[in-house]
Amino acid sequence: MKIYDTMQKKVVPFRLNKNRIVKMYVCGPTVYDSPHIGHAKTYIFFDALAKYLRAQGFQVFYVQNITDLDDKIITKAAQENLPTEIISKRYLMDYLKIMKSLKIDSVNLYVPATMEFRKIISQIKTLVRKGYAYETDDGVYFSVSRFPDYGKLSGQDLNSLRSGSRIDINENKRDPRDFVIWKKMKPGEPYWDSPWGKGRPGWHIEDTAITDAFLGKTYDIHGGGSDLIFPHHEAEIAIERSVSGRKILSRYWIHTGMLNIEGEKMSKSLHNYVTIDEVLKDFTPEDLRYALLNCQFNTQLSFSGELMEESRKNVNALSSIYNKLKQKAGDENMESDYSIINSLDSFLEYNIDFRGMFSKLMSYVSEWNKNLDAMDSREASLSLSALKWVNEFTGVIREGENSARSDDLIRLLLSARKSLRTAKDFSSSDAIRSGLRKLGVHIEDQGSETIWWYSDTEGE
RNA sequence: GGAUAGGUGGCAGAGCGGUCAUGCGUGGGACUGCAGAUCCCAUCUAAUAGGGUUCGACUCCCUACCUAUCCUCCA
């Protein structure tokens, strides 16, 4: 497998240790507001990546942080006149609920930054002791000049950063490039006690404390949106390598391209965002997963209504053939068709190209539709195995299965409907169809057979 | 100004130095009680501009122009 590594700025072979354990870390959200579909793009990709690696036989330990103390949370809390913990807890619950609704369930551990508070303090202490950080009137700063590799990940030149006029002039900093790792409390702000008085940690050191605690001083994959490359990931490298004394923090740096809308990055500050909840009112999680995976992960993707409509069609086509094949396969023992799976996998082997894989998959779907009538149960089962393989990590197929009891009820209704259709009582049979559709059950007549699946959204 | 990606048919978006991407859209047909889905045919004779290399370039090289992201909190 090969993958684009931001540090080396090219597609490189993905090599891992012999025991096939992958330690993976992805920067999670700051919990001060509901996530939008730009966030979804990143988290769905890493969900699919973790599941794909697991399907390939790797043991993936996937950790994500939650930034639950931060200026934005403080601002929000002040606006609502509530304690910061109430705000962060509310949006943490919101975030977890939404992740679940998007079928993102590959993360082994979500770690709120406040949980690793002791580690944060001990890291700052170490940095100060080793001379990498210094205390001022308003906080503790990391001294960038002490870390020559600063700028390597983002391709920034240290000197051009120094003269950068866009960096805030802060009298307390010895060097404008230095970044804060401990902020001393201002009146009215939440605080923790520390050797440097009351205050709170800076953003960058929250992550290094968590990775150090759960993944060690060197791990395999560090991921996040491309907007985190500078300064966040750059700062993480500077902090952790200064603490550990090692040459490498993460073996691979994987960054997802931004989601654009009308030619610009979707973001809170530009007020051009669409929340995940809003999209899920009109589309299924599968539709959104397909839409956001159907691109090169490290390039930008434009969001639009057409994109969602196109995805819905493709998800429908996949779900339709999936359920048709399933019906045809019956109880046939599942063997895997490796010729198909390998041809699909070849797209993932080179830079996890889900889009390329989908385009190949759609060609197979067309083939299967053509040959469906002539297929026997074994052939159907083989084709089905490829779809199951894809769905294992992409999660883009709507399956016609839920609890056994409701499945049985639906089958009962469909057999009644079949009798009505045979008797040409179409008004009654159509009433059953539209009634089921309102309950989120999609049905299609295939000659004398009827296939069905749960569509999640209510019928129009 | 610097860094990183790009500029392909109505849209999204691949690969490849000379042969169908794929999907959506559009037009027509088949099938169907109707929906839906599916299949067939067609549509689009695509490549930011200007040079160069070549028997031949969308694909390689150079130049110009343009777009987005980052250089400030941000997935």
Side-chain angles (χ1 to χ4, degrees):
Chain A
M1 188 178 112
K2 293 184 173 176
I3 195 156
Y4 185 89
D5 175 31
T6 309
M7 186 63 90
Q8 298 177 64
K9 294 178 187 36
K10 60 183 177 190
V11 178
V12 297
F14 188 68
R15 289 188 216 289
L16 291 166
N17 44 27
K18 287 188 193 115
N19 51 16
R20 293 179 80 77
I21 291 173
V22 179
K23 294 184 190 173
M24 173 161 133
Y25 182 79
V26 172
C27 281
T30 301
V31 280
Y32 73 102
D33 208 348
S34 278
H36 60 65
I37 50 180
H39 301 110
K41 179 176 184 287
T42 294
Y43 298 127
I44 287 172
F45 170 74
F46 284 107
D47 179 62
L49 175 62
K51 287 171 176 167
Y52 171 67
L53 290 172
R54 283 173 187 151
Q56 296 295 95
F58 291 103
Q59 252 188 45
V60 181
F61 183 52
Y62 177 7
V63 176
Q64 203 178 102
N65 73 299
I66 301 289
T67 300
D68 62 344
L69 57 140
D70 177 85
D71 291 3
K72 292 195 174 182
I73 297 170
I74 294 170
T75 308
K76 186 95 174 184
Q79 279 168 5
E80 299 198 19
N81 202 20
L82 286 167
T84 50
E85 309 87 75
I86 300 288
I87 298 295
S88 61
K89 227 167 246 170
R90 181 207 293 167
Y91 289 107
L92 171 58
M93 289 303 131
D94 184 50
Y95 175 71
L96 296 176
K97 198 184 96 204
I98 289 170
M99 290 301 108
K100 197 178 170 198
S101 74
L102 292 178
K103 313 206 304 198
I104 293 173
D105 52 9
S106 57
V107 179
N108 296 98
L109 209 57
Y110 288 100
V111 187
T114 48
M115 256 182 63
E116 282 307 314
F117 191 75
R118 279 186 196 162
K119 189 83 188 181
I120 292 171
I121 296 295
S122 85
Q123 287 205 325
I124 300 174
K125 273 185 180 169
T126 304
L127 290 174
V128 172
R129 194 185 69 238
K130 287 184 167 182
Y132 286 105
Y134 57 90
E135 185 179 357
T136 69
D137 289 344
D138 67 343
V140 179
Y141 289 86
F142 184 93
S143 187
V144 167
S145 61
R146 290 290 320 275
F147 190 76
D149 279 351
Y150 194 79
K152 210 176 150 199
L153 180 72
S154 56
Q156 299 290 320
D157 179 60
L158 272 180
N159 292 319
S160 71
L161 281 174
R162 187 200 299 275
S163 57
S165 57
R166 297 173 79 182
I167 295 174
D168 281 343
I169 305 297
N170 181 330
E171 296 293 315
N172 291 301
K173 287 190 197 177
R174 292 181 190 164
D175 183 321
R177 301 167 301 181
D178 292 350
F179 56 85
V180 69
I181 52 181
W182 181 262
K183 295 179 181 180
K184 293 188 178 172
M185 184 189 85
K186 290 179 196 129
E189 287 180 349
Y191 66 88
W192 285 257
D193 286 313
S194 82
W196 313 278
K198 292 172 178 175
R200 62 194 140 92
W203 178 37
H204 313 310
I205 204 161
E206 295 178 5
D207 284 33
T208 56
I210 291 167
T211 56
D212 192 302
F214 290 97
L215 299 175
K217 301 191 185 312
T218 300
Y219 44 92
D220 301 297
I221 294 175
H222 192 125
S226 62
D227 53 353
L228 297 185
I229 295 170
F230 190 95
H232 186 51
H233 289 163
E234 204 76 76
E236 281 188 58
I237 292 168
I239 292 171
E240 184 63 29
R241 283 184 50 200
S242 299
V243 169
S244 72
R246 295 202 185 174
K247 284 214 164 65
I248 288 176
L249 205 213
S250 175
R251 293 188 181 87
Y252 298 93
W253 289 87
I254 299 176
H255 291 99
T256 51
M258 292 293 105
L259 185 68
N260 285 191
I261 184 165
E262 285 164 7
E264 276 185 316
K265 173 184 165 185
M266 183 175 286
S267 72
K268 287 272 156 69
S269 48
L270 287 170
H271 302 292
N272 60 355
Y273 61 93
V274 181
T275 65
I276 296 166
D277 277 340
E278 281 173 300
V279 172
L280 292 184
K281 274 180 201 156
D282 299 321
F283 296 93
T284 65
E286 291 82 8
D287 296 336
L288 187 57
R289 287 184 71 100
Y290 189 98
L292 298 178
L293 287 174
N294 197 22
C295 67
Q296 298 254 343
F297 76 86
N298 53 332
T299 62
Q300 296 164 344
L301 173 71
S302 316
F303 180 79
S304 65
E306 294 80 59
L307 176 76
M308 288 309 301
E309 287 299 339
E310 183 186 325
S311 300
R312 192 215 296 269
K313 296 257 170 154
N314 287 322
V315 168
N316 280 344
L318 286 167
S319 306
S320 175
I321 190 69
Y322 178 91
N323 288 293
K324 284 171 190 168
L325 287 169
K326 198 169 173 187
Q327 185 148 334
K328 196 116 191 172
D331 296 327
E332 184 71 30
N333 279 340
M334 185 64 79
E335 294 173 64
S336 293
D337 187 331
Y338 288 108
S339 68
I340 296 178
I341 289 176
N342 288 337
S343 79
L344 295 172
D345 190 39
S346 65
F347 287 92
L348 303 181
E349 285 285 320
Y350 188 82
N351 208 26
I352 320 291
D353 181 10
F354 286 121
R355 188 186 173 98
M357 187 203 65
F358 282 148
S359 73
K360 184 74 182 174
L361 183 63
M362 294 317 286
S363 317
Y364 282 120
V365 170
S366 192
E367 283 295 305
W368 293 329
N369 274 314
K370 245 175 274 186
N371 302 332
L372 194 64
D373 288 341
M375 270 189 205
D376 61 26
S377 62
R378 184 170 174 275
E379 289 165 326
S381 166
L382 284 171
S383 305
L384 188 60
S385 72
L387 280 169
K388 287 204 167 182
W389 180 78
V390 168
N391 199 38
E392 204 176 317
F393 46 89
T394 58
V396 295
I397 294 173
R398 295 193 280 264
E399 294 189 52
E401 264 181 24
N402 204 337
S403 73
R405 181 178 295 175
S406 69
D407 284 5
D408 288 345
L409 284 167
I410 288 163
R411 284 195 198 99
L412 192 62
L413 276 166
L414 290 179
S415 80
R417 178 169 171 273
K418 190 175 179 182
S419 311
L420 289 166
R421 289 180 66 216
T422 312
K424 298 207 190 299
D425 183 354
F426 295 121
S427 66
S428 303
S429 70
D430 287 354
I432 291 175
R433 180 170 63 194
S434 65
L436 282 172
R437 180 167 282 195
K438 276 189 184 127
L439 295 170
V441 179
H442 183 96
I443 70 179
E444 282 179 18
D445 295 321
Q446 283 289 304
S448 61
E449 304 286 335
T450 298
I451 62 135
W452 62 277
W453 66 86
Y454 293 101
S455 67
D456 288 344
T457 47
E458 304 207 343
E460 284 87 82

